[in-house]
Tab-separated table of all heavy atoms in Angstrom:
chain	number	residue	atom	x	y	z
A	1	GLY	N	97.477	36.157	182.154
A	1	GLY	CA	97.328	34.727	182.297
A	1	GLY	C	95.987	34.274	182.821
A	1	GLY	O	95.786	33.073	183.028
A	2	ALA	N	95.077	35.207	183.059
A	2	ALA	CA	93.747	34.806	183.523
A	2	ALA	C	93.058	33.988	182.439
A	2	ALA	O	93.137	34.317	181.254
A	2	ALA	CB	92.918	36.032	183.880
A	3	ARG	N	92.423	32.913	182.853
A	3	ARG	CA	91.750	32.078	181.874
A	3	ARG	C	90.611	31.311	182.540
A	3	ARG	O	90.601	31.115	183.760
A	3	ARG	CB	92.728	31.099	181.229
A	3	ARG	CG	93.248	30.018	182.156
A	3	ARG	CD	94.304	29.154	181.467
A	3	ARG	NE	94.653	27.989	182.272
A	3	ARG	CZ	95.495	27.997	183.284
A	3	ARG	NH1	96.085	29.125	183.637
A	3	ARG	NH2	95.749	26.879	183.964
A	4	GLN	N	89.696	30.888	181.727
A	4	GLN	CA	88.574	30.070	182.189
A	4	GLN	C	89.004	28.612	182.228
A	4	GLN	O	89.623	28.098	181.297
A	4	GLN	CB	87.391	30.253	181.235
A	4	GLN	CG	86.219	29.314	181.464
A	4	GLN	CD	85.147	29.470	180.405
A	4	GLN	OE1	84.609	30.543	180.202
A	4	GLN	NE2	84.843	28.373	179.711
A	5	THR	N	88.653	27.936	183.308
A	5	THR	CA	88.927	26.505	183.395
A	5	THR	C	87.657	25.664	183.400
A	5	THR	O	87.706	24.468	183.119
A	5	THR	CB	89.732	26.186	184.670
A	5	THR	OG1	88.973	26.599	185.823
A	5	THR	CG2	91.071	26.908	184.648
A	6	ALA	N	86.518	26.280	183.727
A	6	ALA	CA	85.248	25.551	183.728
A	6	ALA	C	84.100	26.551	183.648
A	6	ALA	O	84.277	27.748	183.944
A	6	ALA	CB	85.118	24.683	184.982
A	7	TYR	N	82.935	26.070	183.230
A	7	TYR	CA	81.749	26.922	183.170
A	7	TYR	C	80.521	26.119	183.569
A	7	TYR	O	80.524	24.880	183.566
A	7	TYR	CB	81.562	27.522	181.776
A	7	TYR	CG	81.145	26.517	180.712
A	7	TYR	CD1	79.814	26.143	180.546
A	7	TYR	CD2	82.097	25.935	179.872
A	7	TYR	CE1	79.435	25.219	179.576
A	7	TYR	CE2	81.733	25.013	178.902
A	7	TYR	CZ	80.402	24.656	178.762
A	7	TYR	OH	80.015	23.743	177.816
A	8	GLN	N	79.459	26.851	183.889
A	8	GLN	CA	78.149	26.262	184.145
A	8	GLN	C	77.099	27.207	183.605
A	8	GLN	O	77.108	28.397	183.912
A	8	GLN	CB	77.924	26.049	185.655
A	8	GLN	CG	76.573	25.415	185.986
A	8	GLN	CD	76.381	25.254	187.490
A	8	GLN	OE1	77.098	25.859	188.295
A	8	GLN	NE2	75.402	24.452	187.884
A	9	LEU	N	76.196	26.685	182.758
A	9	LEU	CA	75.116	27.488	182.193
A	9	LEU	C	73.818	27.175	182.924
A	9	LEU	O	73.471	26.011	183.140
A	9	LEU	CB	74.978	27.207	180.696
A	9	LEU	CG	76.008	27.919	179.818
A	9	LEU	CD1	76.048	27.321	178.430
A	9	LEU	CD2	75.709	29.417	179.744
A	10	LEU	N	73.099	28.244	183.279
A	10	LEU	CA	71.841	28.136	184.006
A	10	LEU	C	70.774	28.887	183.220
A	10	LEU	O	70.879	30.101	183.017
A	10	LEU	CB	71.987	28.742	185.405
A	10	LEU	CG	73.118	28.157	186.266
A	10	LEU	CD1	73.398	29.057	187.462
A	10	LEU	CD2	72.767	26.746	186.720
A	11	VAL	N	69.762	28.177	182.740
A	11	VAL	CA	68.721	28.777	181.908
A	11	VAL	C	67.383	28.582	182.604
A	11	VAL	O	67.032	27.471	183.020
A	11	VAL	CB	68.687	28.158	180.500
A	11	VAL	CG1	67.677	28.881	179.628
A	11	VAL	CG2	70.077	28.217	179.860
A	12	SER	N	66.627	29.682	182.718
A	12	SER	CA	65.400	29.685	183.500
A	12	SER	C	64.264	30.314	182.708
A	12	SER	O	64.483	31.094	181.778
A	12	SER	CB	65.624	30.461	184.799
A	12	SER	OG	64.422	30.645	185.499
A	13	SER	N	63.049	29.998	183.097
A	13	SER	CA	61.863	30.606	182.492
A	13	SER	C	61.479	31.917	183.176
A	13	SER	O	60.555	32.600	182.736
A	13	SER	CB	60.684	29.635	182.548
A	13	SER	OG	60.413	29.247	183.888
A	14	THR	N	62.186	32.293	184.246
A	14	THR	CA	61.951	33.555	184.953
A	14	THR	C	63.294	34.225	185.206
A	14	THR	O	64.332	33.565	185.267
A	14	THR	CB	61.237	33.321	186.299
A	14	THR	OG1	62.048	32.455	187.109
A	14	THR	CG2	59.875	32.694	186.096
A	15	PRO	N	63.311	35.552	185.384
A	15	PRO	CA	64.600	36.241	185.540
A	15	PRO	C	65.344	35.888	186.815
A	15	PRO	O	66.560	35.980	186.861
A	15	PRO	CB	64.208	37.724	185.517
A	15	PRO	CG	62.756	37.755	185.852
A	15	PRO	CD	62.183	36.490	185.317
A	16	ASP	N	64.647	35.478	187.857
A	16	ASP	CA	65.320	35.189	189.116
A	16	ASP	C	65.000	33.786	189.636
A	16	ASP	O	65.181	33.496	190.809
A	16	ASP	CB	64.905	36.218	190.180
A	16	ASP	CG	63.388	36.323	190.317
A	16	ASP	OD1	62.681	35.631	189.572
A	16	ASP	OD2	62.935	37.095	191.170
A	17	GLY	N	64.529	32.909	188.748
A	17	GLY	CA	64.132	31.581	189.175
A	17	GLY	C	65.256	30.569	189.076
A	17	GLY	O	66.385	30.870	188.670
A	18	VAL	N	64.930	29.361	189.468
A	18	VAL	CA	65.896	28.267	189.354
A	18	VAL	C	66.053	27.884	187.888
A	18	VAL	O	65.241	28.264	187.030
A	18	VAL	CB	65.412	27.056	190.173
A	18	VAL	CG1	65.315	27.418	191.644
A	18	VAL	CG2	64.066	26.546	189.671
A	19	ALA	N	67.099	27.115	187.607
A	19	ALA	CA	67.386	26.714	186.223
A	19	ALA	C	66.442	25.592	185.810
A	19	ALA	O	66.841	24.434	185.686
A	19	ALA	CB	68.838	26.299	186.097
A	20	ASP	N	65.173	25.933	185.599
A	20	ASP	CA	64.176	24.916	185.279
A	20	ASP	C	64.211	24.493	183.820
A	20	ASP	O	63.594	23.491	183.449
A	20	ASP	CB	62.774	25.407	185.648
A	20	ASP	CG	62.431	26.742	184.990
A	20	ASP	OD1	63.359	27.461	184.569
A	20	ASP	OD2	61.228	27.065	184.902
A	21	LEU	N	64.936	25.231	182.964
A	21	LEU	CA	65.052	24.847	181.561
A	21	LEU	C	66.339	24.077	181.278
A	21	LEU	O	66.346	23.127	180.507
A	21	LEU	CB	64.982	26.088	180.662
A	21	LEU	CG	63.652	26.842	180.678
A	21	LEU	CD1	63.730	28.078	179.796
A	21	LEU	CD2	62.498	25.949	180.243
A	22	TRP	N	67.424	24.508	181.930
A	22	TRP	CA	68.690	23.789	181.711
A	22	TRP	C	69.710	24.187	182.761
A	22	TRP	O	69.901	25.377	183.037
A	22	TRP	CB	69.252	24.098	180.326
A	22	TRP	CG	70.475	23.300	179.962
A	22	TRP	CD1	70.723	21.989	180.258
A	22	TRP	CD2	71.621	23.761	179.235
A	22	TRP	NE1	71.941	21.598	179.756
A	22	TRP	CE2	72.516	22.663	179.121
A	22	TRP	CE3	71.972	24.966	178.662
A	22	TRP	CZ2	73.735	22.756	178.468
A	22	TRP	CZ3	73.185	25.080	178.003
A	22	TRP	CH2	74.052	23.984	177.896
A	23	ASP	N	70.326	23.194	183.344
A	23	ASP	CA	71.500	23.370	184.194
A	23	ASP	C	72.574	22.442	183.636
A	23	ASP	O	72.463	21.225	183.720
A	23	ASP	CB	71.176	23.022	185.646
A	23	ASP	CG	72.368	23.234	186.568
A	23	ASP	OD1	73.491	23.435	186.067
A	23	ASP	OD2	72.173	23.180	187.796
A	24	SER	N	73.577	23.026	183.022
A	24	SER	CA	74.614	22.221	182.368
A	24	SER	C	75.493	21.485	183.374
A	24	SER	O	76.204	20.543	183.011
A	24	SER	CB	75.495	23.105	181.482
A	24	SER	OG	76.295	23.962	182.279
A	25	GLY	N	75.427	21.918	184.643
A	25	GLY	CA	76.395	21.414	185.597
A	25	GLY	C	77.769	21.987	185.289
A	25	GLY	O	77.982	22.677	184.284
A	26	ARG	N	78.724	21.724	186.155
A	26	ARG	CA	80.080	22.213	185.899
A	26	ARG	C	80.683	21.438	184.737
A	26	ARG	O	80.685	20.197	184.714
A	26	ARG	CB	80.953	22.066	187.140
A	26	ARG	CG	82.404	22.427	186.867
A	26	ARG	CD	83.250	22.426	188.107
A	26	ARG	NE	84.673	22.537	187.753
A	26	ARG	CZ	85.581	23.163	188.458
A	26	ARG	NH1	85.240	23.754	189.593
A	26	ARG	NH2	86.844	23.195	188.067
A	27	VAL	N	81.188	22.198	183.759
A	27	VAL	CA	81.843	21.605	182.593
A	27	VAL	C	83.288	22.087	182.580
A	27	VAL	O	83.549	23.291	182.463
A	27	VAL	CB	81.128	22.014	181.279
A	27	VAL	CG1	81.837	21.388	180.082
A	27	VAL	CG2	79.663	21.619	181.303
A	28	ASP	N	84.211	21.182	182.730
A	28	ASP	CA	85.631	21.554	182.712
A	28	ASP	C	86.056	21.826	181.270
A	28	ASP	O	86.351	20.908	180.496
A	28	ASP	CB	86.483	20.441	183.321
A	28	ASP	CG	86.223	20.269	184.811
A	28	ASP	OD1	85.958	21.284	185.488
A	28	ASP	OD2	86.263	19.120	185.294
A	29	SER	N	86.068	23.106	180.910
A	29	SER	CA	86.361	23.493	179.531
A	29	SER	C	86.666	24.977	179.497
A	29	SER	O	86.156	25.762	180.305
A	29	SER	CB	85.159	23.189	178.628
A	29	SER	OG	85.331	23.753	177.350
A	30	CYS	N	87.503	25.368	178.546
A	30	CYS	CA	87.781	26.785	178.323
A	30	CYS	C	86.852	27.376	177.260
A	30	CYS	O	86.971	28.553	176.921
A	30	CYS	CB	89.236	26.989	177.919
A	30	CYS	SG	89.664	26.204	176.343
């Protein structure tokens, strides 16, 4: 019964940097 209820995508120009390209924010979706 494990399932996803929300996601957040974080895209960065560096491997350990902040999401300077895209932060989707929390999206309530499976």
